[in-house]
Amino acid sequence: MKAIQIVGERQMQIVDIPNQEMKAGDVVLRLKYVGFCGSDLNTYLGKNPMVKLPVIPGHEIGAVIEAVGEDVPEGLKPGMTVTVNPYTACGKCASCRNSRPNACEHNETLGVQRDGAMRERLVVPWEKVIPAGLLTPRECAIVEPMSVGFHAVNRAQVTDSDCVLVIGCGMVGMGAVVRAALRGATVIAADIDEDKLALAKQMGASYTVNTTDSGMQNQLLEMTSGFGPDVVIEAVGSVPTYQMAVDAVAFTGRVVCIGYAKSDVSFQTKLFVQKELDIRGSRNALPQDFRAVIHYLERHLAHAVGAVSAVPIYRLISRVVKPEEAQEAMNQWVAEPGKVFRILVEM
């Protein structure tokens, strides 16, 4: 079968690989759409230390069940539209013992530590298959990145009395904006791109701020009656945004970090103590986060029966390409990183 493979820095090719064997408990998926994410971009640029090349990228999946093996529950049937939980869990480490398998010490994500989903067919254990209800395969491909943002809001324990600042309005950050707004919080979206900020407003943010504005801190204080945001979710992964999160959060606030900074970050650690901050990491997502995103999308897509509103979900998909166009699309993302939400490959 055909697959897309990253073979070196800025080098991608289409290869023929053997079909995977289906065993008892497995499901065979026919891939329809697979998204390129930030980790795939870093792999393509040779900046992902967790990847050993060559690798098949892709873990944001929209697929249809093609076949099921023995011992697969009756609820999973050929023809169903599904997405996939792309992480593994060892079941033995501290995270797994504490019922947080999303942070498994030995996790291997599809397309990162192991070959991913940019292929014609994929065989996975049935436990990793998540039925997508009314969603189309194309819509399924944005579920995983939004679920990471949803999970960060859960980690922050956001309530309707909170003011939440989300730094970074890419796909993951947009998921955090949506989930915090659904919780009834007042949401402030922050980014360097005005188009992304405008979309964040449509997705549920009450206010927006441009992080390049020298008066950003004063704006935040004005928006929060002088207190600062109760919660800051860092969804960029850069030195300035990590420092911004700690500086901006209110006294006794919570800072939740999603992004991986590429270099060491220096902090005024006195703020940790003076503000008595809760600083938390947020990694990947749990199955309930996937289900929450699916439920949200079902209620807000134009084709869904009884949709409550027409939220512009499709603006989160910047481009859909064929496998032969994948490298050119990645080069476009490299050239204009701030203008891309997600690139989907139609398999």
Side-chain angles (χ1 to χ4, degrees):
M1 64 177 164
K2 296 287 192 298
I4 294 173
Q5 192 177 63
I6 298 174
V7 295
E9 184 177 336
R10 302 199 186 206
Q11 296 178 37
M12 188 180 294
Q13 63 184 14
I14 298 175
V15 296
D16 281 306
I17 61 172
N19 286 319
Q20 297 170 287
E21 180 184 353
M22 181 178 68
K23 304 183 295 295
D26 284 344
V27 175
V28 180
L29 303 179
R30 176 75 179 187
L31 280 303
K32 297 295 185 180
Y33 294 90
V34 183
F36 276 122
C37 77
S39 63
D40 298 319
L41 179 61
N42 284 328
T43 300
Y44 181 67
L45 293 174
K47 297 179 179 180
N48 193 337
M50 294 182 288
V51 171
K52 182 179 179 180
L53 298 178
V55 68
I56 298 170
H59 57 260
E60 301 174 358
I61 295 168
V64 173
I65 295 178
E66 189 167 90
V68 297
E70 296 179 0
D71 303 325
V72 172
E74 292 185 2
L76 296 175
K77 300 180 183 298
M80 287 181 64
T81 297
V82 298
T83 190
V84 172
N85 181 334
Y87 325 119
T88 64
C90 70
K92 300 177 182 178
C93 71
S95 299
C96 291
R97 289 176 62 193
N98 290 326
S99 300
R100 290 161 69 175
N102 59 295
C104 175
E105 181 180 354
H106 307 291
N107 168 64
E108 293 185 347
T109 299
L110 284 169
V112 185
Q113 294 93 345
R114 58 191 171 122
D115 278 333
M118 285 196 179
R119 61 179 83 192
E120 293 178 275
R121 291 175 181 83
L122 180 69
V123 177
V124 296
W126 72 263
E127 294 92 342
K128 297 297 181 181
V129 178
I130 301 175
L134 300 174
L135 271 58
T136 66
R138 181 174 170 177
E139 293 151 3
C140 285
I142 67 173
V143 170
E144 192 273 345
M146 289 192 73
S147 73
V148 176
F150 272 46
H151 183 69
V153 172
N154 287 341
R155 289 284 293 140
Q157 297 176 297
V158 170
T159 72
D160 57 3
S161 64
D162 286 321
C163 178
V164 179
L165 170 65
V166 178
I167 304 175
C169 294
M171 278 292 296
V172 171
M174 205 66 77
V177 167
V178 168
R179 186 57 159 169
L182 290 172
R183 291 274 180 94
T186 300
V187 182
I188 304 171
D191 200 278
I192 62 173
D193 186 86
E194 290 295 337
D195 291 337
K196 287 185 176 179
L197 291 175
L199 181 56
K201 201 80 175 287
Q202 291 180 272
M203 301 292 286
S206 300
Y207 305 101
T208 62
V209 292
N210 195 306
T211 54
T212 63
D213 191 333
S214 60
M216 175 183 168
Q217 186 66 27
N218 289 332
Q219 293 179 55
L220 292 175
L221 291 174
E222 290 175 7
M223 294 170 183
T224 58
S225 303
F227 294 109
D230 305 288
V231 173
V232 178
I233 296 176
E234 198 287 333
V236 177
S238 72
V239 173
T241 51
Y242 261 81
Q243 293 169 336
M244 182 186 300
V246 172
D247 290 342
V249 72
F251 274 64
T252 67
R254 288 100 73 198
V255 176
V256 175
C257 306
I258 309 174
Y260 284 88
K262 306 300 186 296
S263 57
D264 293 343
V265 185
S266 297
F267 292 103
Q268 295 186 52
T269 54
K270 68 177 183 180
L271 295 178
F272 298 1
V273 179
Q274 284 182 336
K275 293 186 175 184
E276 199 175 48
L277 298 181
D278 289 337
I279 300 178
R280 306 173 184 178
S282 182
R283 184 181 177 195
N284 299 331
L286 290 165
Q288 54 263 41
D289 301 310
F290 282 81
R291 292 193 294 269
V293 173
I294 290 168
H295 178 66
Y296 165 77
L297 292 175
E298 283 184 320
R299 296 184 67 230
H300 290 83
L301 288 166
H303 66 73
V305 177
V308 297
S309 64
V311 173
I313 298 298
Y314 277 105
R315 286 187 59 192
L316 299 176
I317 300 171
S318 304
R319 187 176 177 186
V320 179
V321 300
K322 299 292 186 182
E324 296 78 11
E325 303 168 316
Q327 180 158 3
E328 184 272 329
M330 289 295 273
N331 287 335
Q332 180 192 13
W333 195 359
V334 173
E336 296 183 292
K339 296 297 183 182
V340 173
F341 281 105
R342 273 301 178 272
I343 296 169
L344 303 188
V345 180
E346 185 176 3
M347 301 306 298

